Amino acid sequence: MTELRAGSPRRPRLIIAAAAAMAAGLLISGCGGGAAPQGADNAAAADPASGANASGSINVCGGKDASGIYKGTAEQFTKANGKVTAKYTEIGATTDEARTQTVQRLEGKSTECDIFLTDVIWTSEFASQGWLLDQTKLVESSKDRLIPSTVETTKYEDKYWASPFFTNAGLVYYQKDKVAKPETWQQLYAEAAKAPGNGYVYQGKQYEGLTVNFLEMLYSAGGEVLNDKGEVTIDSPETREVLEFMSNGLKDGSADRAVLTYNEDPTRLAYESGNFGYQRNWPHVYRLLNATPLAGSFGVAPLPAWEGGKASGVLGGWNLAISAHSTNQAGAVAFIDFATTPEWQKHVAMDYSQAPVNEAAYSDAAVLQKMPFATELLASVKGAKPRPVSPVYPQISQAIYKNVYAVLSGTASAEDAVKSMAEEINTAKASF
Amino acid sequence: MATKALSPGRTVNGRDQAERRLAVRMTAPALALMALVAAVPIGYAIWLSLNQYSVRTAGLSRFVGLENYVAALSSPEWWAAFGQTFLFAALSVSLELVLGTGMALLLNLAFKGRAVLRTVVLLPYAIVTVVSAITWQTMFQPNMGLVTNVLSALGLPGGDVVWLGEHGYAMAVIVLADVWKTTPFAALIILAGLQVISAETYEAAELDGASKWQTFVHITLPLLRPAIVLAAIFRTMDALRVFDLPFVLTRGANGTESMSMLAYTQLRENRLVGEGSALSILTFLTVMVVSVIYIRFAGGNIREAGKEEQ
């Protein structure tokens, strides 16, 4: 090895000093992020009158635009308004990714997006952090033309934090030539087990969708996660019954075991192969199924009832929230005004096969022609109940889908799963 | 009284010190840069892990000392993820080393188009892991995936298996996806090691009448050890931090959650910054301890081999 010799080195003091200064700068900026507590109480409010005088441009951000509704609404709004230009920016391929990206922007006080598409389950969390503009006045002015349960999903601590855009409720698609329209879950499972081509596919992957699929059955069986006082009441005979039912369905072949890896899209693709009798999916699938050879041979039904109980469901859907850091709040208000008009709500159904938040749209002749199941859909929306409302909803949902998955995949008994579900939800609720 | 005897030593010491000062000056910029990109974020993460940040009220936090660590270390999830991550690392790294050695030996042969082939085998490594993971997921999809369809068509077992829906099978797919992607990387490092072995050694062995197998076992493998150990260190560090493969393929279902995924869930999905940071630091410490063990036990081999070569 060559030996290093002391020659007459140049003095790198300047460099050292510069590097040290940079390091110190980073330390200060890195640790100085602690802002004063800001919450839902100190949030600024949107002015409903401001929309009329709006100008400039706005950016609407959200997840993958599978039905084309986000880009379509932005384009049509720009045309109709004349003064405000809207564009849609996709910030995540899945709902989970979109949430992570949204949280990152809101936490970082980014001004990139004026409006965020928010899932109905995000309202409490985002509002409690003071990330959203208070839309109470705006919602009060549009409330009369909106379905009450969809308005409820924008509420946190007696204020409204978003405006409903379109709603969502699970539906059962069935092959009319092979199986009957399901009245009860028990009947659906029995029918599905009769022949290999009758099987039922749903979203059984370990993710939010499984929480929804499970709660749809739990609600119709009369069970619940939290009671009116917010206490955890999931440890109940109903929960055990539903878990056993779902688990038996996988064992006796009513439901294909592949559902353990399915979210919405693989469910649809599997059903499109023609090898199944039933699928549970969202309304937008109707349009996609109609573009396949199955067109005309499938029916659409609201979710069935539990035997001896009533039909229920879980309310989904997307709201429009204005970022607290938006630089064009008036433009955002104008956009929301447009999106919730009865006229545009008809297009929500006709052009994108999504469920409107305006009740009159469901009985409109033009809508019924494009969406023949609008009556069933409205019944589903009205019968659907919200998921637990809490700022720690993500943890509550994980407690549900991880334990349900354990039962479905056969690694835990229903009894153990119910206990740990309740315990984990209690821990989540105690989060600081 | 002893000044005379000591004086030569002193000059040496004086030179030593001057050299040491020089060394400090010359490494200072690099150290400052390291501090900037490594020490500062790690230090900040440690600070975060000693606090709890409210998920209910923005900006509210409290100092909790080691509470987050105690909670993590007493949770079954952490130990499950710990065990699964090590299982994954052991399986994937050993397969990659064996296959990588084989691949390197082939690439070391003189044949037409060798340069092209060397580039081509690197392709899987150039593909973004998330993209290849989605491809694997599609191929193992029940009913419609390529792998399941081919297996059923050939009447082989596995065609009707829900690969990503059961622990053993899901782990096998994750290991396969990793081996497919990173074997070329291991091969490349081992190939570099192969090329250092001088042709004379082989000629001597041939003159002594050694068989191909004897040459491989007694010459190639021992001389290749430093390169293999180096590849093992790199791959193990990476494998212990695995995130993208289980995240895309199973979302951590069927007991395939890794340590990094656990930290991600707490940090990003649940916004439990303190708890998540503690998990990140634990993952970091685990990887560090393993590195130190490797370098202590296998590092000697690298040095020894270096001496032998000299």
Side-chain angles (χ1 to χ4, degrees):
Chain A
M1 257 179 67
T2 13
E3 206 179 299
L4 264 177
R5 275 176 216 288
S8 55
R10 274 192 242 149
R11 305 194 167 190
R13 275 210 189 120
L14 206 71
I15 303 169
I16 299 173
M22 268 165 72
L26 198 89
L27 258 172
I28 291 161
S29 64
C31 299
Q38 46 156 190
D41 298 338
N42 323 321
D47 175 10
S50 67
N53 306 316
S55 60
S57 64
I58 59 159
N59 190 11
V60 184
C61 301
K64 189 179 161 192
D65 194 9
S67 66
I69 186 171
Y70 306 141
K71 279 187 196 102
T73 306
E75 273 164 28
Q76 291 307 315
F77 163 76
T78 305
K79 262 190 211 159
N81 186 282
K83 285 185 292 180
V84 186
T85 342
K87 70 164 179 167
Y88 182 70
T89 308
E90 226 171 69
I91 55 171
T94 65
T95 302
D96 285 336
E97 278 165 36
R99 177 176 167 275
T100 308
Q101 290 295 321
T102 304
V103 168
Q104 230 161 45
R105 282 166 175 75
L106 289 168
E107 257 179 346
K109 301 184 169 60
S110 156
T111 55
E112 180 195 345
C113 308
D114 299 286
I115 293 180
F116 284 102
L117 261 305
T118 55
D119 193 328
V120 291
I121 49 179
W122 300 347
T123 309
S124 315
E125 182 192 4
F126 289 10
S128 73
Q129 294 291 309
W131 289 338
L132 307 178
L133 214 59
D134 175 0
Q135 287 191 32
T136 308
K137 282 183 189 156
L138 194 62
V139 173
E140 294 288 356
S141 70
S142 61
K143 215 171 152 183
D144 297 339
R145 55 177 198 250
L146 305 173
I147 299 171
S149 59
T150 67
V151 176
E152 277 307 291
T153 66
T154 71
K155 200 172 183 177
Y156 177 71
E157 287 186 346
D158 296 322
K159 283 180 186 168
Y160 299 112
W161 299 94
S163 292
F165 182 24
F166 61 90
T167 180
N168 236 341
L171 295 168
V172 171
Y173 295 80
Y174 62 101
Q175 285 309 112
K176 289 187 285 194
D177 47 339
K178 290 196 274 188
V179 292
K181 180 179 176 183
E183 298 299 331
T184 65
W185 283 111
Q186 281 73 9
Q187 185 209 332
L188 186 155
Y189 268 60
E191 189 99 355
K194 271 186 196 160
N198 285 8
Y200 173 52
V201 279
Y202 62 95
Q203 294 82 50
K205 193 179 174 174
Q206 180 171 297
Y207 82 118
E208 177 64 26
L210 181 55
T211 297
V212 173
N213 278 250
F214 167 74
L215 289 182
E216 283 169 345
M217 276 195 198
L218 183 69
Y219 288 169
S220 68
E224 56 184 5
V225 181
L226 309 173
N227 65 11
D228 294 339
K229 288 182 208 150
E231 294 157 348
V232 181
T233 47
I234 201 165
D235 187 348
S236 67
E238 287 85 3
T239 306
R240 287 176 178 75
E241 200 187 339
V242 169
L243 283 175
E244 296 284 0
F245 180 76
M246 289 177 89
S247 153
N248 288 336
L250 286 170
K251 285 180 199 142
D252 67 18
S254 310
D256 194 296
R257 264 196 88 78
V259 300
L260 292 174
T261 65
Y262 285 175
N263 53 16
E264 283 85 349
D265 238 28
T267 309
R268 170 178 70 83
L269 292 168
Y271 185 80
E272 280 176 8
S273 71
N275 296 330
F276 296 96
Y278 297 103
Q279 77 160 321
R280 179 246 170 251
N281 222 318
W282 301 102
H284 77 271
V285 164
Y286 176 81
R287 212 172 59 130
L288 300 168
L289 272 186
N290 257 340
T292 70
L294 294 187
S297 70
F298 68 92
V300 186
L303 294 179
W306 196 253
E307 208 166 60
K310 56 181 175 57
S312 188
V314 171
L315 200 64
W318 291 86
N319 299 327
L320 298 166
I322 306 177
S323 160
H325 307 288
S326 162
T327 49
N328 190 358
Q329 296 180 2
V333 168
F335 182 86
I336 289 173
D337 271 339
F338 172 82
T340 56
T341 50
E343 188 48 39
W344 185 249
Q345 283 293 314
K346 280 189 224 165
H347 287 278
V348 164
M350 290 188 296
D351 303 345
Y352 308 105
S353 191
Q354 298 283 10
V357 290
N358 170 277
E359 193 169 335
Y362 290 87
S363 46
D364 183 88
V367 169
L368 274 164
Q369 210 199 334
K370 285 260 187 166
M371 199 192 239
F373 60 100
T375 321
E376 285 86 354
L377 182 57
L378 181 63
S380 302
V381 168
K382 285 186 139 179
K385 295 204 293 184
R387 279 163 273 179
V389 175
S390 164
V392 293
Y393 177 77
Q395 290 182 67
I396 296 180
S397 181
Q398 277 160 31
I400 296 174
Y401 67 64
K402 284 195 172 176
N403 285 299
V404 174
Y405 188 90
V407 175
L408 298 188
S409 63
T411 55
S413 69
E415 187 56 39
D416 291 343
V418 172
K419 293 234 170 70
S420 48
M421 235 186 253
E423 196 186 300
E424 286 163 27
I425 295 174
N426 271 314
T427 313
K429 286 191 63 210
S431 296
F432 163 57
Chain B
M1 36 179 214
T3 33
K4 255 189 184 173
L6 270 180
S7 57
R10 232 185 219 165
T11 38
V12 171
N13 268 348
R15 230 180 77 190
D16 261 10
Q17 264 171 12
E19 258 187 41
R20 221 168 272 154
R21 269 200 302 274
L22 174 74
V24 168
R25 273 188 217 150
M26 294 190 72
T27 49
L31 287 176
L33 198 72
M34 289 271 282
L36 209 70
V37 298
V40 171
I42 293 171
Y44 188 45
I46 292 174
W47 168 249
L48 290 175
S49 74
L50 300 175
N51 287 281
Q52 251 180 14
Y53 296 82
S54 175
V55 282
R56 295 176 180 275
T57 313
L60 211 62
S61 69
R62 64 183 181 203
F63 184 80
V64 292
L66 293 175
E67 231 175 74
N68 292 331
Y69 289 92
V70 174
L73 291 174
S74 53
S75 79
E77 284 88 8
W78 163 257
W79 292 111
F82 185 85
Q84 289 308 316
T85 312
F86 272 90
L87 176 68
F88 164 77
L91 289 173
S92 60
V93 174
S94 39
L95 279 170
E96 281 153 22
L97 292 180
V98 173
L99 295 174
T101 307
M103 204 187 260
L105 287 170
L106 284 178
L107 290 176
N108 200 35
L109 298 175
F111 58 89
K112 246 189 182 172
R114 184 170 72 162
V116 178
L117 197 69
R118 276 185 188 172
T119 318
V120 170
V121 295
L122 263 179
L123 270 183
Y125 193 66
I127 294 174
V128 179
T129 314
V130 173
V131 174
S132 65
I134 291 173
T135 314
W136 284 108
Q137 187 188 31
T138 317
M139 298 208 323
F140 277 97
Q141 192 81 256
N143 306 321
M144 36 191 173
L146 180 71
V147 175
T148 43
N149 277 345
V150 167
L151 288 175
S152 328
L154 295 176
L156 291 170
D160 53 356
V161 166
V162 181
W163 284 84
L164 296 169
E166 252 169 89
H167 176 250
Y169 289 107
M171 187 53 98
V173 176
I174 295 176
V175 169
L176 173 66
D178 194 64
V179 169
W180 176 82
K181 184 188 155 87
T182 46
T183 299
F185 172 77
L188 207 69
I189 294 182
I190 297 169
L191 180 62
L194 266 180
Q195 289 177 336
V196 174
I197 305 175
S198 73
E200 287 158 36
T201 327
Y202 286 116
E203 278 162 23
E206 217 183 316
L207 282 177
D208 289 344
S211 70
K212 287 264 180 208
W213 177 249
Q214 281 173 325
T215 314
F216 176 70
V217 173
H218 297 291
I219 296 175
T220 314
L221 265 192
L223 290 178
L224 216 47
R225 231 163 110 175
I228 295 179
V229 168
L230 191 69
I233 293 179
F234 276 135
R235 287 302 314 132
T236 310
M237 305 299 92
D238 259 2
L240 289 177
R241 290 175 314 187
V242 67
F243 171 80
D244 25 24
L245 287 174
F247 184 76
V248 172
L249 287 168
T250 60
R251 273 246 144 195
N254 309 304
T256 56
E257 196 157 47
S258 69
M259 296 187 284
S260 302
M261 272 192 76
L262 210 58
Y264 168 87
T265 309
Q266 292 288 54
L267 272 171
R268 298 251 57 105
E269 286 184 21
N270 300 340
R271 291 195 303 105
L272 296 168
V273 178
E275 289 83 344
S277 299
L279 288 168
S280 307
I281 297 294
L282 285 175
T283 310
F284 166 72
L285 289 177
T286 310
V287 175
M288 231 175 57
V289 167
V290 173
S291 324
V292 169
I293 293 172
Y294 254 123
I295 290 165
R296 263 209 88 114
F297 288 93
N301 281 326
I302 300 179
R303 283 195 293 273
E304 256 168 51
K307 271 182 215 152
E308 274 168 32
E309 265 169 51
Q310 278 175 353

